[in-house]
């Protein structure tokens, strides 16, 4: 496997995807370059076998699919998410201090680690909604330069900081933006200039801070990688690459990337919304299938929920389960949880292991320590909309929910190959807990 080339492409994707809006835009660019057709939820869908299509919701979630034939068996799907824990910039963001400094008012999005956000170059990116003659229009903006910083309080003013400190998001985490000038609303005037409009034409914004440090390889033999937003753009990127390289024959290949996983997925563009269900139904109807035939196809479908997993931490190995321990560069992580925070069961776990073996990539298993609760992810939320065999997997990483995370240099390539095999395969229900697996 060409690990170095894969990581070079991954780094480019990470660096060009400061938040969900840009991640979706970059994936849509890849679909368009691959000759796929863009669909819109508010327009009719005229689908044909042998073609590829993609559709977005809220400009921050995307589903792409390839239909091999009208009488397909089912859907082979991989779902990941494109949002990350971050700081969102509030409306009326500027706060002036002593008539000297201007800082920005922000709030936490998701369960982020606060400490790593200090003393590193930051900027702002997201979308603005501008007025037009006919209504409103969305424009993406990325202030592509080192713009802000959240300065630490010197240890001389907080001698106990290294003994434990509770960060206050409203006090400690506001970024320094500029010196106070003669004019007000400097931030919005900057954003308007980036959008190519006047500040008065901006009606509303969804803007976020992001870490400016580019992704890198590191370690004695470059065996590790580090960068922002590895959770979960590493899985989204691997799914994208596997999808584009796949050759589906009997089942529809479906690449799904959702927004708002870090805040519970309960939005129209999140896994808890109807985006996936609506899309699968529209594919089925466009292929002339009845509702019964749709349900039959769901029974012969398989979903891989791909969201990164915790590797054994070198300084805290005791935080990991005694017998299910995952490590960087040791392959895809299959996640298990008795309380179904992860949806993997014996059937879906066995199917995923078979896919990994067919792809000739390593895999490992993860469970939380029995005395440490874990988080949830996409799988169990998606099943409330589309009930089918689902496995939860991820790639091993350290420092999850930091603005700069660490992972293995080999694992992205492993998941690309497993995704390619998944999207090229089919799973057919044979009754009594039996399934026929067909690989191309």
């Amino acid at each position: 496997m060409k690990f170095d080339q894969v990581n070079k492409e991954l780094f480019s994707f990470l660096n060009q995807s400061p938040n969900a809006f840009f991640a979706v835009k970059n994936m849509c660019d890849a679909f368009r370059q691959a000759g796929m057709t863009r669909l819109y939820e508010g327009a009719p869908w005229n689908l044909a076998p042998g073609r590829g299509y993609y559709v977005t919701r809220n400009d921050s979630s995307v589903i792409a699919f390839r239909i091999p034939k009208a009488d397909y068996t089912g859907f082979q799907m991989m779902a990941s998410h494109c949002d990350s824990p971050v700081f969102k910039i509030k409306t009326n963001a500027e706060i002036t201090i002593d008539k000297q400094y201007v800082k920005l008012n922000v709030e936490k999005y998701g369960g982020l680690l606060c400490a790593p956000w200090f003393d590193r170059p930051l900027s702002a990116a997201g979308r603005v909604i501008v007025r037009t003659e006919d209504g409103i229009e969305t424009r993406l903006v990325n202030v592509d330069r080192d713009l802000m910083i959240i300065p630490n309080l010197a240890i001389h003013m907080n001698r106990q900081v290294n003994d434990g400190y509770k960060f206050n998001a409203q006090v400690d985490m506001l970024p320094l933006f500029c010196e106070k000038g003669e004019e007000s609303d400097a931030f919005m005037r900057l954003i308007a200039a980036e959008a190519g409009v006047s500040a008065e034409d901006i009606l509303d914004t969804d803007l976020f801070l992001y870490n400016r440090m580019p992704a890198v390889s590191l370690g004695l033999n470059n065996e590790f990688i580090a960068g922002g937003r590895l959770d979960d753009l590493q899985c989204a990127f691997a799914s994208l690459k596997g999808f584009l390289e796949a050759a589906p024959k009997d089942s529809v290949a479906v690449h799904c990337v959702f927004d708002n996983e870090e805040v519970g997925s309960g939005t129209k563009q999140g896994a808890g919304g109807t985006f996936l269900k609506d899309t699968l139904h529209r594919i089925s109807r466009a292929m002339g299938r009845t509702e019964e035939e749709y349900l039959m196809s769901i029974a012969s479908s398989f979903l891989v929920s791909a969201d990164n997993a915790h590797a054994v931490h070198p300084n805290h190995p005791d935080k990991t389960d005694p017998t299910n321990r995952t490590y960087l560069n040791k392959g895809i992580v299959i996640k298990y949880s008795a309380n179904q925070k992860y949806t993997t069961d014996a059937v879906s776990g066995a199917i995923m292991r078979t896919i990994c073996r067919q792809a000739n990539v390593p895999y490992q298993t993860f469970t939380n320590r029995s005395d440490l609760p874990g988080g949830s992810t996409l799988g169990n939320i998606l099943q409330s909309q589309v009930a089918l065999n689902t496995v939860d997997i991820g790639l091993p990483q350290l420092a999850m929910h930091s603005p700069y995370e660490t992972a293995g240099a080999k694992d992205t390539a492993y998941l690309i190959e497993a995704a390619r095999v998944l999207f090229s395969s089919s799973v057919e229900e044979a009754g009594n807990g039996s399934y026929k697996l067909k690989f191309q």
Side-chain angles (χ1 to χ4, degrees), residues 336-368:
Y336 293 84
S337 172
N339 63 19
Q340 289 298 288
K341 290 293 186 179
Y342 306 132
T343 58
T344 310
D345 58 17
V347 170
S348 63
I351 294 173
M352 189 66 212
R353 291 168 191 249
T354 304
I355 289 171
C356 289
R357 289 171 180 156
Q358 181 69 23
N360 195 29
V361 299
Y363 63 87
Q364 44 194 331
T365 58
F366 172 87
T367 62
N368 289 294

PDB file of all heavy atoms in Angstrom, residues 336-368:
ATOM      1  N   TYR A 336     -17.313  -2.620  20.209  1.00  0.00           N
ATOM      2  CA  TYR A 336     -18.394  -3.369  20.850  1.00  0.00           C
ATOM      3  C   TYR A 336     -18.836  -2.648  22.125  1.00  0.00           C
ATOM      4  O   TYR A 336     -18.023  -2.044  22.823  1.00  0.00           O
ATOM      5  CB  TYR A 336     -17.936  -4.781  21.226  1.00  0.00           C
ATOM      6  CG  TYR A 336     -17.647  -5.688  20.049  1.00  0.00           C
ATOM      7  CD1 TYR A 336     -16.402  -5.650  19.418  1.00  0.00           C
ATOM      8  CD2 TYR A 336     -18.594  -6.576  19.572  1.00  0.00           C
ATOM      9  CE1 TYR A 336     -16.125  -6.483  18.341  1.00  0.00           C
ATOM     10  CE2 TYR A 336     -18.327  -7.419  18.501  1.00  0.00           C
ATOM     11  CZ  TYR A 336     -17.095  -7.364  17.891  1.00  0.00           C
ATOM     12  OH  TYR A 336     -16.821  -8.186  16.823  1.00  0.00           O
ATOM     13  N   SER A 337     -20.140  -2.728  22.415  1.00  0.00           N
ATOM     14  CA  SER A 337     -20.677  -2.162  23.649  1.00  0.00           C
ATOM     15  C   SER A 337     -21.945  -2.907  24.021  1.00  0.00           C
ATOM     16  O   SER A 337     -22.886  -2.975  23.212  1.00  0.00           O
ATOM     17  CB  SER A 337     -20.984  -0.667  23.480  1.00  0.00           C
ATOM     18  OG  SER A 337     -21.668  -0.147  24.604  1.00  0.00           O
ATOM     19  N   ALA A 338     -21.996  -3.441  25.228  1.00  0.00           N
ATOM     20  CA  ALA A 338     -23.172  -4.201  25.653  1.00  0.00           C
ATOM     21  C   ALA A 338     -24.424  -3.326  25.716  1.00  0.00           C
ATOM     22  O   ALA A 338     -25.536  -3.817  25.496  1.00  0.00           O
ATOM     23  CB  ALA A 338     -22.917  -4.839  27.020  1.00  0.00           C
ATOM     24  N   ASN A 339     -24.267  -2.027  26.002  1.00  0.00           N
ATOM     25  CA  ASN A 339     -25.434  -1.145  26.086  1.00  0.00           C
ATOM     26  C   ASN A 339     -25.834  -0.569  24.742  1.00  0.00           C
ATOM     27  O   ASN A 339     -26.690   0.311  24.672  1.00  0.00           O
ATOM     28  CB  ASN A 339     -25.186  -0.028  27.103  1.00  0.00           C
ATOM     29  CG  ASN A 339     -24.023   0.873  26.700  1.00  0.00           C
ATOM     30  OD1 ASN A 339     -23.622   0.907  25.540  1.00  0.00           O
ATOM     31  ND2 ASN A 339     -23.481   1.607  27.661  1.00  0.00           N
ATOM     32  N   GLN A 340     -25.200  -1.053  23.658  1.00  0.00           N
ATOM     33  CA  GLN A 340     -25.536  -0.684  22.286  1.00  0.00           C
ATOM     34  C   GLN A 340     -25.226   0.772  21.948  1.00  0.00           C
ATOM     35  O   GLN A 340     -25.787   1.327  21.005  1.00  0.00           O
ATOM     36  CB  GLN A 340     -26.995  -1.005  21.967  1.00  0.00           C
ATOM     37  CG  GLN A 340     -27.272  -2.494  21.846  1.00  0.00           C
ATOM     38  CD  GLN A 340     -26.478  -3.151  20.711  1.00  0.00           C
ATOM     39  OE1 GLN A 340     -26.761  -2.939  19.545  1.00  0.00           O
ATOM     40  NE2 GLN A 340     -25.488  -3.956  21.073  1.00  0.00           N
ATOM     41  N   LYS A 341     -24.324   1.396  22.714  1.00  0.00           N
ATOM     42  CA  LYS A 341     -23.776   2.670  22.251  1.00  0.00           C
ATOM     43  C   LYS A 341     -23.038   2.447  20.931  1.00  0.00           C
ATOM     44  O   LYS A 341     -22.938   3.340  20.100  1.00  0.00           O
ATOM     45  CB  LYS A 341     -22.829   3.254  23.298  1.00  0.00           C
ATOM     46  CG  LYS A 341     -23.525   3.752  24.544  1.00  0.00           C
ATOM     47  CD  LYS A 341     -24.396   4.964  24.261  1.00  0.00           C
ATOM     48  CE  LYS A 341     -24.976   5.537  25.535  1.00  0.00           C
ATOM     49  NZ  LYS A 341     -25.815   6.733  25.281  1.00  0.00           N
ATOM     50  N   TYR A 342     -22.460   1.265  20.777  1.00  0.00           N
ATOM     51  CA  TYR A 342     -21.977   0.780  19.490  1.00  0.00           C
ATOM     52  C   TYR A 342     -22.885  -0.370  19.079  1.00  0.00           C
ATOM     53  O   TYR A 342     -23.231  -1.224  19.892  1.00  0.00           O
ATOM     54  CB  TYR A 342     -20.527   0.306  19.570  1.00  0.00           C
ATOM     55  CG  TYR A 342     -19.580   1.329  20.133  1.00  0.00           C
ATOM     56  CD1 TYR A 342     -18.665   0.986  21.127  1.00  0.00           C
ATOM     57  CD2 TYR A 342     -19.594   2.646  19.676  1.00  0.00           C
ATOM     58  CE1 TYR A 342     -17.792   1.925  21.638  1.00  0.00           C
ATOM     59  CE2 TYR A 342     -18.728   3.587  20.199  1.00  0.00           C
ATOM     60  CZ  TYR A 342     -17.827   3.223  21.181  1.00  0.00           C
ATOM     61  OH  TYR A 342     -16.966   4.158  21.702  1.00  0.00           O
ATOM     62  N   THR A 343     -23.259  -0.412  17.815  1.00  0.00           N
ATOM     63  CA  THR A 343     -24.294  -1.347  17.367  1.00  0.00           C
ATOM     64  C   THR A 343     -23.759  -2.725  16.982  1.00  0.00           C
ATOM     65  O   THR A 343     -24.539  -3.604  16.649  1.00  0.00           O
ATOM     66  CB  THR A 343     -25.032  -0.771  16.151  1.00  0.00           C
ATOM     67  OG1 THR A 343     -24.082  -0.527  15.109  1.00  0.00           O
ATOM     68  CG2 THR A 343     -25.725   0.525  16.503  1.00  0.00           C
ATOM     69  N   THR A 344     -22.459  -2.900  16.997  1.00  0.00           N
ATOM     70  CA  THR A 344     -21.875  -4.173  16.581  1.00  0.00           C
ATOM     71  C   THR A 344     -22.442  -5.328  17.393  1.00  0.00           C
ATOM     72  O   THR A 344     -22.477  -5.293  18.625  1.00  0.00           O
ATOM     73  CB  THR A 344     -20.348  -4.142  16.759  1.00  0.00           C
ATOM     74  OG1 THR A 344     -19.819  -2.963  16.168  1.00  0.00           O
ATOM     75  CG2 THR A 344     -19.712  -5.365  16.129  1.00  0.00           C
ATOM     76  N   ASP A 345     -22.909  -6.358  16.684  1.00  0.00           N
ATOM     77  CA  ASP A 345     -23.263  -7.611  17.331  1.00  0.00           C
ATOM     78  C   ASP A 345     -22.504  -8.732  16.626  1.00  0.00           C
ATOM     79  O   ASP A 345     -21.644  -8.477  15.775  1.00  0.00           O
ATOM     80  CB  ASP A 345     -24.778  -7.839  17.327  1.00  0.00           C
ATOM     81  CG  ASP A 345     -25.389  -7.851  15.921  1.00  0.00           C
ATOM     82  OD1 ASP A 345     -24.640  -8.014  14.928  1.00  0.00           O
ATOM     83  OD2 ASP A 345     -26.621  -7.701  15.811  1.00  0.00           O
ATOM     84  N   ALA A 346     -22.814  -9.970  16.973  1.00  0.00           N
ATOM     85  CA  ALA A 346     -22.046 -11.084  16.408  1.00  0.00           C
ATOM     86  C   ALA A 346     -22.178 -11.159  14.897  1.00  0.00           C
ATOM     87  O   ALA A 346     -21.210 -11.469  14.188  1.00  0.00           O
ATOM     88  CB  ALA A 346     -22.485 -12.400  17.054  1.00  0.00           C
ATOM     89  N   VAL A 347     -23.381 -10.867  14.370  1.00  0.00           N
ATOM     90  CA  VAL A 347     -23.590 -10.943  12.928  1.00  0.00           C
ATOM     91  C   VAL A 347     -22.808  -9.841  12.214  1.00  0.00           C
ATOM     92  O   VAL A 347     -22.031 -10.094  11.288  1.00  0.00           O
ATOM     93  CB  VAL A 347     -25.096 -10.845  12.589  1.00  0.00           C
ATOM     94  CG1 VAL A 347     -25.293 -10.677  11.078  1.00  0.00           C
ATOM     95  CG2 VAL A 347     -25.816 -12.087  13.066  1.00  0.00           C
ATOM     96  N   SER A 348     -23.025  -8.587  12.624  1.00  0.00           N
ATOM     97  CA  SER A 348     -22.348  -7.492  11.919  1.00  0.00           C
ATOM     98  C   SER A 348     -20.849  -7.518  12.147  1.00  0.00           C
ATOM     99  O   SER A 348     -20.068  -7.170  11.252  1.00  0.00           O
ATOM    100  CB  SER A 348     -22.942  -6.148  12.349  1.00  0.00           C
ATOM    101  OG  SER A 348     -22.741  -5.903  13.729  1.00  0.00           O
ATOM    102  N   GLY A 349     -20.424  -7.949  13.350  1.00  0.00           N
ATOM    103  CA  GLY A 349     -18.991  -8.086  13.593  1.00  0.00           C
ATOM    104  C   GLY A 349     -18.362  -9.133  12.691  1.00  0.00           C
ATOM    105  O   GLY A 349     -17.264  -8.942  12.155  1.00  0.00           O
ATOM    106  N   ALA A 350     -19.064 -10.247  12.498  1.00  0.00           N
ATOM    107  CA  ALA A 350     -18.543 -11.309  11.628  1.00  0.00           C
ATOM    108  C   ALA A 350     -18.459 -10.840  10.176  1.00  0.00           C
ATOM    109  O   ALA A 350     -17.487 -11.142   9.470  1.00  0.00           O
ATOM    110  CB  ALA A 350     -19.441 -12.538  11.735  1.00  0.00           C
ATOM    111  N   ILE A 351     -19.468 -10.086   9.727  1.00  0.00           N
ATOM    112  CA  ILE A 351     -19.436  -9.572   8.357  1.00  0.00           C
ATOM    113  C   ILE A 351     -18.264  -8.609   8.181  1.00  0.00           C
ATOM    114  O   ILE A 351     -17.534  -8.672   7.179  1.00  0.00           O
ATOM    115  CB  ILE A 351     -20.773  -8.894   8.001  1.00  0.00           C
ATOM    116  CG1 ILE A 351     -21.905  -9.917   7.973  1.00  0.00           C
ATOM    117  CG2 ILE A 351     -20.673  -8.180   6.657  1.00  0.00           C
ATOM    118  CD1 ILE A 351     -23.282  -9.308   7.795  1.00  0.00           C
ATOM    119  N   MET A 352     -18.041  -7.729   9.159  1.00  0.00           N
ATOM    120  CA  MET A 352     -16.941  -6.772   9.044  1.00  0.00           C
ATOM    121  C   MET A 352     -15.588  -7.481   9.068  1.00  0.00           C
ATOM    122  O   MET A 352     -14.672  -7.110   8.317  1.00  0.00           O
ATOM    123  CB  MET A 352     -17.018  -5.736  10.171  1.00  0.00           C
ATOM    124  CG  MET A 352     -16.045  -4.583   9.998  1.00  0.00           C
ATOM    125  SD  MET A 352     -16.461  -3.586   8.530  1.00  0.00           S
ATOM    126  CE  MET A 352     -14.825  -3.037   8.020  1.00  0.00           C
ATOM    127  N   ARG A 353     -15.435  -8.473   9.899  1.00  0.00           N
ATOM    128  CA  ARG A 353     -14.185  -9.234   9.919  1.00  0.00           C
ATOM    129  C   ARG A 353     -13.939  -9.904   8.563  1.00  0.00           C
ATOM    130  O   ARG A 353     -12.803  -9.957   8.075  1.00  0.00           O
ATOM    131  CB  ARG A 353     -14.233 -10.291  11.032  1.00  0.00           C
ATOM    132  CG  ARG A 353     -14.198  -9.719  12.438  1.00  0.00           C
ATOM    133  CD  ARG A 353     -14.535 -10.781  13.471  1.00  0.00           C
ATOM    134  NE  ARG A 353     -14.752 -10.215  14.795  1.00  0.00           N
ATOM    135  CZ  ARG A 353     -13.935 -10.386  15.840  1.00  0.00           C
ATOM    136  NH1 ARG A 353     -12.830 -11.110  15.704  1.00  0.00           N
ATOM    137  NH2 ARG A 353     -14.214  -9.859  16.999  1.00  0.00           N
ATOM    138  N   THR A 354     -15.019 -10.415   7.952  1.00  0.00           N
ATOM    139  CA  THR A 354     -14.884 -11.045   6.640  1.00  0.00           C
ATOM    140  C   THR A 354     -14.475 -10.024   5.590  1.00  0.00           C
ATOM    141  O   THR A 354     -13.638 -10.311   4.711  1.00  0.00           O
ATOM    142  CB  THR A 354     -16.215 -11.708   6.240  1.00  0.00           C
ATOM    143  OG1 THR A 354     -16.613 -12.632   7.266  1.00  0.00           O
ATOM    144  CG2 THR A 354     -16.079 -12.448   4.922  1.00  0.00           C
ATOM    145  N   ILE A 355     -15.038  -8.811   5.647  1.00  0.00           N
ATOM    146  CA  ILE A 355     -14.654  -7.747   4.716  1.00  0.00           C
ATOM    147  C   ILE A 355     -13.177  -7.403   4.877  1.00  0.00           C
ATOM    148  O   ILE A 355     -12.444  -7.255   3.888  1.00  0.00           O
ATOM    149  CB  ILE A 355     -15.542  -6.507   4.940  1.00  0.00           C
ATOM    150  CG1 ILE A 355     -16.969  -6.781   4.461  1.00  0.00           C
ATOM    151  CG2 ILE A 355     -14.963  -5.284   4.222  1.00  0.00           C
ATOM    152  CD1 ILE A 355     -17.962  -5.699   4.828  1.00  0.00           C
ATOM    153  N   CYS A 356     -12.707  -7.281   6.124  1.00  0.00           N
ATOM    154  CA  CYS A 356     -11.297  -6.966   6.361  1.00  0.00           C
ATOM    155  C   CYS A 356     -10.379  -8.065   5.825  1.00  0.00           C
ATOM    156  O   CYS A 356      -9.335  -7.785   5.230  1.00  0.00           O
ATOM    157  CB  CYS A 356     -11.051  -6.754   7.850  1.00  0.00           C
ATOM    158  SG  CYS A 356     -11.762  -5.234   8.518  1.00  0.00           S
ATOM    159  N   ARG A 357     -10.781  -9.312   6.024  1.00  0.00           N
ATOM    160  CA  ARG A 357      -9.971 -10.419   5.505  1.00  0.00           C
ATOM    161  C   ARG A 357      -9.962 -10.422   3.985  1.00  0.00           C
ATOM    162  O   ARG A 357      -8.922 -10.682   3.358  1.00  0.00           O
ATOM    163  CB  ARG A 357     -10.497 -11.746   6.050  1.00  0.00           C
ATOM    164  CG  ARG A 357     -10.208 -11.939   7.539  1.00  0.00           C
ATOM    165  CD  ARG A 357     -10.926 -13.144   8.107  1.00  0.00           C
ATOM    166  NE  ARG A 357     -10.637 -13.315   9.532  1.00  0.00           N
ATOM    167  CZ  ARG A 357     -11.409 -13.949  10.385  1.00  0.00           C
ATOM    168  NH1 ARG A 357     -12.546 -14.498   9.951  1.00  0.00           N
ATOM    169  NH2 ARG A 357     -11.082 -14.057  11.659  1.00  0.00           N
ATOM    170  N   GLN A 358     -11.112 -10.137   3.383  1.00  0.00           N
ATOM    171  CA  GLN A 358     -11.171 -10.068   1.925  1.00  0.00           C
ATOM    172  C   GLN A 358     -10.283  -8.938   1.405  1.00  0.00           C
ATOM    173  O   GLN A 358      -9.646  -9.066   0.349  1.00  0.00           O
ATOM    174  CB  GLN A 358     -12.617  -9.848   1.479  1.00  0.00           C
ATOM    175  CG  GLN A 358     -12.822  -9.782  -0.023  1.00  0.00           C
ATOM    176  CD  GLN A 358     -12.608 -11.120  -0.711  1.00  0.00           C
ATOM    177  OE1 GLN A 358     -12.716 -12.179  -0.073  1.00  0.00           O
ATOM    178  NE2 GLN A 358     -12.306 -11.100  -2.004  1.00  0.00           N
ATOM    179  N   ALA A 359     -10.239  -7.833   2.151  1.00  0.00           N
ATOM    180  CA  ALA A 359      -9.404  -6.691   1.758  1.00  0.00           C
ATOM    181  C   ALA A 359      -7.945  -6.882   2.142  1.00  0.00           C
ATOM    182  O   ALA A 359      -7.091  -6.069   1.756  1.00  0.00           O
ATOM    183  CB  ALA A 359      -9.940  -5.425   2.417  1.00  0.00           C
ATOM    184  N   ASN A 360      -7.649  -7.928   2.914  1.00  0.00           N
ATOM    185  CA  ASN A 360      -6.291  -8.219   3.378  1.00  0.00           C
ATOM    186  C   ASN A 360      -5.728  -7.066   4.206  1.00  0.00           C
ATOM    187  O   ASN A 360      -4.580  -6.652   4.037  1.00  0.00           O
ATOM    188  CB  ASN A 360      -5.370  -8.534   2.198  1.00  0.00           C
ATOM    189  CG  ASN A 360      -4.069  -9.188   2.636  1.00  0.00           C
ATOM    190  OD1 ASN A 360      -4.032  -9.876   3.669  1.00  0.00           O
ATOM    191  ND2 ASN A 360      -3.002  -8.971   1.887  1.00  0.00           N
ATOM    192  N   VAL A 361      -6.555  -6.556   5.122  1.00  0.00           N
ATOM    193  CA  VAL A 361      -6.113  -5.494   6.028  1.00  0.00           C
ATOM    194  C   VAL A 361      -6.310  -5.958   7.459  1.00  0.00           C
ATOM    195  O   VAL A 361      -7.231  -6.728   7.759  1.00  0.00           O
ATOM    196  CB  VAL A 361      -6.875  -4.178   5.778  1.00  0.00           C
ATOM    197  CG1 VAL A 361      -6.632  -3.689   4.357  1.00  0.00           C
ATOM    198  CG2 VAL A 361      -8.369  -4.317   6.045  1.00  0.00           C
ATOM    199  N   PRO A 362      -5.467  -5.494   8.384  1.00  0.00           N
ATOM    200  CA  PRO A 362      -5.601  -5.909   9.780  1.00  0.00           C
ATOM    201  C   PRO A 362      -6.774  -5.224  10.455  1.00  0.00           C
ATOM    202  O   PRO A 362      -7.204  -4.142  10.069  1.00  0.00           O
ATOM    203  CB  PRO A 362      -4.272  -5.465  10.403  1.00  0.00           C
ATOM    204  CG  PRO A 362      -3.822  -4.319   9.559  1.00  0.00           C
ATOM    205  CD  PRO A 362      -4.291  -4.628   8.158  1.00  0.00           C
ATOM    206  N   TYR A 363      -7.285  -5.886  11.499  1.00  0.00           N
ATOM    207  CA  TYR A 363      -8.341  -5.298  12.299  1.00  0.00           C
ATOM    208  C   TYR A 363      -8.098  -5.644  13.761  1.00  0.00           C
ATOM    209  O   TYR A 363      -7.361  -6.583  14.095  1.00  0.00           O
ATOM    210  CB  TYR A 363      -9.728  -5.751  11.848  1.00  0.00           C
ATOM    211  CG  TYR A 363      -9.986  -7.231  11.980  1.00  0.00           C
ATOM    212  CD1 TYR A 363     -10.469  -7.776  13.165  1.00  0.00           C
ATOM    213  CD2 TYR A 363      -9.743  -8.093  10.907  1.00  0.00           C
ATOM    214  CE1 TYR A 363     -10.705  -9.132  13.285  1.00  0.00           C
ATOM    215  CE2 TYR A 363      -9.978  -9.453  11.014  1.00  0.00           C
ATOM    216  CZ  TYR A 363     -10.454  -9.970  12.203  1.00  0.00           C
ATOM    217  OH  TYR A 363     -10.677 -11.316  12.322  1.00  0.00           O
ATOM    218  N   GLN A 364      -8.696  -4.869  14.661  1.00  0.00           N
ATOM    219  CA  GLN A 364      -8.580  -5.075  16.095  1.00  0.00           C
ATOM    220  C   GLN A 364      -9.923  -4.744  16.737  1.00  0.00           C
ATOM    221  O   GLN A 364     -10.805  -4.184  16.083  1.00  0.00           O
ATOM    222  CB  GLN A 364      -7.446  -4.220  16.678  1.00  0.00           C
ATOM    223  CG  GLN A 364      -7.407  -2.802  16.178  1.00  0.00           C
ATOM    224  CD  GLN A 364      -6.107  -2.077  16.496  1.00  0.00           C
ATOM    225  OE1 GLN A 364      -5.427  -2.357  17.482  1.00  0.00           O
ATOM    226  NE2 GLN A 364      -5.751  -1.112  15.666  1.00  0.00           N
ATOM    227  N   THR A 365     -10.091  -5.107  17.991  1.00  0.00           N
ATOM    228  CA  THR A 365     -11.382  -4.914  18.657  1.00  0.00           C
ATOM    229  C   THR A 365     -11.236  -3.966  19.841  1.00  0.00           C
ATOM    230  O   THR A 365     -10.198  -3.912  20.498  1.00  0.00           O
ATOM    231  CB  THR A 365     -11.972  -6.251  19.133  1.00  0.00           C
ATOM    232  OG1 THR A 365     -11.050  -6.887  20.035  1.00  0.00           O
ATOM    233  CG2 THR A 365     -12.255  -7.152  17.952  1.00  0.00           C
ATOM    234  N   PHE A 366     -12.315  -3.217  20.089  1.00  0.00           N
ATOM    235  CA  PHE A 366     -12.324  -2.229  21.165  1.00  0.00           C
ATOM    236  C   PHE A 366     -13.590  -2.363  21.986  1.00  0.00           C
ATOM    237  O   PHE A 366     -14.695  -2.502  21.447  1.00  0.00           O
ATOM    238  CB  PHE A 366     -12.261  -0.809  20.586  1.00  0.00           C
ATOM    239  CG  PHE A 366     -12.454   0.275  21.611  1.00  0.00           C
ATOM    240  CD1 PHE A 366     -11.381   0.764  22.342  1.00  0.00           C
ATOM    241  CD2 PHE A 366     -13.722   0.803  21.862  1.00  0.00           C
ATOM    242  CE1 PHE A 366     -11.557   1.748  23.304  1.00  0.00           C
ATOM    243  CE2 PHE A 366     -13.910   1.796  22.824  1.00  0.00           C
ATOM    244  CZ  PHE A 366     -12.818   2.280  23.544  1.00  0.00           C
ATOM    245  N   THR A 367     -13.432  -2.324  23.301  1.00  0.00           N
ATOM    246  CA  THR A 367     -14.529  -2.078  24.232  1.00  0.00           C
ATOM    247  C   THR A 367     -14.016  -1.088  25.270  1.00  0.00           C
ATOM    248  O   THR A 367     -12.812  -1.016  25.542  1.00  0.00           O
ATOM    249  CB  THR A 367     -15.008  -3.350  24.948  1.00  0.00           C
ATOM    250  OG1 THR A 367     -13.914  -3.883  25.728  1.00  0.00           O
ATOM    251  CG2 THR A 367     -15.492  -4.397  23.964  1.00  0.00           C
ATOM    252  N   ASN A 368     -14.915  -0.314  25.831  1.00  0.00           N
ATOM    253  CA  ASN A 368     -14.538   0.543  26.944  1.00  0.00           C
ATOM    254  C   ASN A 368     -14.279  -0.303  28.189  1.00  0.00           C
ATOM    255  O   ASN A 368     -14.803  -1.416  28.320  1.00  0.00           O
ATOM    256  CB  ASN A 368     -15.654   1.542  27.254  1.00  0.00           C
ATOM    257  CG  ASN A 368     -15.787   2.610  26.195  1.00  0.00           C
ATOM    258  OD1 ASN A 368     -14.895   3.430  26.016  1.00  0.00           O
ATOM    259  ND2 ASN A 368     -16.901   2.599  25.479  1.00  0.00           N
TER     260      ASN A 368
END
